[in-house]
Structures are given as C-alpha cells and as structure tokens.
Amino acid sequence: QVQLVESGGDLVQAGESLTLTCEQSGPAITVYARGWYRQASGKQRELVAVIGPGGTEDYAASVKGRFTVSRIFGSNTITLQMNSLEPEDTAVYYCYLKGATWQSTQEYWGRGTQVSVSS
C-alpha cells in the first residue's frame, strides 16, 4: 500500500516561514496529482496546493503568493514552503496523492502534521 508521511509541522509566530515535507513509500504508482490539503478545527478539509498534470500548480486563494508546492523529478518527496504565515493558517496539513496502480485509480492521504501560528 502507498504510504504518505508528513513532517515539519511546528508552532511559529505570524510572519515566519515553515516548510513541510511529505515522503512517499510503497509500491510504484502512476501519479496524477500530488500536494497538500489542510483542516482547521471545526472546518472542512480544503485544498491548499496541488501539482497536477504537466506540473501545473493550483493554490487556494488564501495562500496564493505565500505558499509554494514543489517536487523534483525522480523524487517521491514533495514540499510545501509556507511564507508569511498567519494565524488563519493554523491547521493540520495533509499530504495528498492521486495515482493509479494496475488495479485502479486511488487517492492517498498522510496522517497529517500540525501547523500552529500565533499572533
């Protein structure tokens, strides 16, 4: 089974930066999309940043210009560079991957890593 493990979550002050990392392990799959979602307390899980086909990048309006999702060719690791963090960014951040095995197309999730931003 494909596994995703996030790391890098921390408690920081508003205006600071933080980088999250997601490590993928398990069987090889054909990846269609990979990126990050987040869920704040009492809120629905929302898309933060995703790399899609052809390397296109989609960002939530609330993070565009501040966050950058990255992946290098040949790597199973993706990162989320978060700059100018705000208290509203406080959430559990989840690594996301959509891909296909010989059986089917599936979505995979990490367990999440906590990011807390104090004012």
Side-chain angles (χ1 to χ4, degrees):
Q1 186 72 256
V2 172
Q3 294 183 339
L4 304 174
V5 179
E6 306 94 337
S7 63
D10 204 353
L11 171 63
V12 299
Q13 295 183 359
E16 294 184 339
S17 298
L18 195 64
T19 300
L20 305 182
T21 299
C22 175
E23 297 286 348
Q24 175 192 334
S25 62
I29 63 172
T30 299
V31 177
Y32 297 141
R34 45 165 60 94
W36 298 87
Y37 283 69
R38 70 185 181 186
Q39 186 169 21
S41 179
K43 304 294 183 180
Q44 293 183 312
R45 187 174 298 187
E46 65 175 350
L47 181 148
V48 176
V50 170
I51 302 173
T56 58
E57 300 177 7
D58 291 322
Y59 295 89
S62 59
V63 308
K64 193 171 185 178
R66 298 188 298 119
F67 290 11
T68 303
V69 59
S70 300
R71 180 230 174 207
I72 63 173
F73 180 79
S75 175
N76 290 330
T77 302
I78 62 169
T79 63
L80 182 67
Q81 177 64 48
M82 304 182 292
N83 298 324
S84 301
L85 283 163
E86 304 169 354
E88 291 74 22
D89 296 316
T90 296
V92 177
Y93 285 70
Y94 296 90
C95 186
Y96 165 85
L97 187 150
K98 181 179 181 179
T101 65
W102 66 274
Q103 293 181 310
S104 63
T105 298
Q106 297 179 264
E107 294 181 327
Y108 305 89
W109 298 91
R111 291 184 177 180
T113 185
Q114 177 71 49
V115 174
S116 298
V117 185
S118 62
S119 60

